[in-house]
Amino acid sequence: MSLSLFDLTGRRALITGSSQGIGFALAKGLQAAGADIVLNGRDTDKLAAAAAQLGEGTHQLPFDATDHAGVRAAVDGFEAEHGAIDILVNNAGMQHRTALEDFPADAFEKLMQTNIASVFHVGQACARHMIRRSKGKIINIASVQTALARPGIAPYTMTKGAVANLTKGMATDWAQYGLQCNGLAPGYFDTPLNAALVADPEFTTWLEKRTPAGRWGKVEELVGTCIFLASDASSFVNGTTVFVDGGITASL
């Protein structure tokens, strides 16, 4: 009975930004737990390649997560044609590294749209259907930078702090309708977004010393927490952000 709490059979999960990296790893993990998968991204070729890896029955829903009207049309259209989206993972995000005093205004605006506004747009579009059904799971991908800052990424740090607070707001407004809205905050993981850091021996040496676990995270290590937050096992967990970071936020 206890293991059945984590079974996602018969549920459908939409993961934004899921053609590669953390998003794809979470899609693969949720599929292994029984969920039907809806992949999202803007690059249709990359999306098709990712869907082919997951196999027959995987849905592709291309849309720009920063386009409010486009998101609403895509989600409403999918629900009308295919049925419920039971689980939403708001994973779409980007990084831009520049000293704060030189940070370009256009890059700042793009970070806000990609990392914060997309969570609002897709979250609202899916929640409107979930509220009608009196159930649903929303998982917003935060970051170790939700709690900590590093030089050169101050606006990114701002966006990920906002994701955690928006998650609290979602739970505060929507828990009464049967939704659970939580955050998942990865530490430093070997992903395409971090490719430059992974390739930097000096940074990797610093990270290994700074992280109690002494290494980069593997994207597969995020799957268990995501399944927990997507499943009945977390039925009374709401508005929290779970850090999966090898202990880095627990240690000075």
Side-chain angles (χ1 to χ4, degrees), residues 31 48 62 71 74 94 127 152 171 176 181 184 203 224-225:
Q31 183 187 60
V71 168
M94 64 168 292
Q176 63 183 313
C181 308
L184 195 170
F203 185 88
T225 303

Side-chain angles (χ1 to χ4, degrees), residues 15-19 39-44 47 60-65:
I15 305 95
T16 66
S18 48
S19 61
L39 296 175
N40 160 260
R42 290 180 293 186
D43 187 324
T44 55
L47 210 56
Q60 300 171 54
L61 189 59
F63 60 77
D64 180 350

Side-chain angles (χ1 to χ4, degrees), residues 76-250:
D76 289 355
F78 184 91
E79 287 249 353
E81 183 175 355
H82 300 287
I85 295 170
D86 307 289
I87 302 158
L88 166 65
V89 181
N90 270 314
N91 170 73
M94 64 168 292
Q95 176 64 285
H96 186 99
R97 296 180 174 91
T98 307
L100 184 57
E101 64 272 21
D102 299 319
F103 209 92
D106 59 342
F108 180 86
E109 295 294 337
K110 191 173 182 181
L111 273 171
M112 287 199 296
Q113 289 300 312
T114 304
N115 293 359
I116 304 173
S118 68
V119 176
F120 165 75
H121 297 323
V122 189
Q124 185 189 70
C126 290
R128 282 174 165 155
H129 295 280
M130 293 173 174
I131 288 168
R132 185 165 39 81
R133 293 187 287 266
S134 299
K135 61 179 180 180
K137 298 280 189 172
I138 297 178
I139 303 164
N140 298 324
I141 302 302
S143 167
V144 67
Q145 267 77 45
T146 297
L148 302 173
R150 269 189 56 78
I153 57 168
Y156 178 86
T157 302
M158 176 204 71
T159 66
K160 290 304 183 178
V163 167
N165 273 336
L166 181 53
T167 301
K168 292 177 183 179
M170 286 178 170
T172 301
D173 277 15
W174 296 338
Q176 63 183 313
Y177 302 117
L179 278 63
Q180 287 88 52
C181 308
N182 293 289
L184 195 170
Y188 283 92
F189 281 74
D190 185 353
T191 68
L193 196 67
N194 285 330
L197 298 181
V198 174
D200 183 345
E202 184 179 352
F203 185 88
T204 293
T205 298
W206 171 84
L207 179 67
E208 290 171 348
K209 291 179 179 178
R210 176 65 179 82
T211 306
R215 61 176 175 83
W216 286 89
K218 302 172 185 176
V219 290
E220 294 78 17
E221 293 175 299
L222 295 166
V223 169
T225 303
C226 189
I227 291 172
F228 165 68
L229 294 175
S231 71
D232 291 341
S234 59
S235 60
F236 203 58
V237 180
N238 231 327
T240 193
T241 295
V242 181
F243 286 81
V244 182
D245 63 4
I248 197 168
T249 54

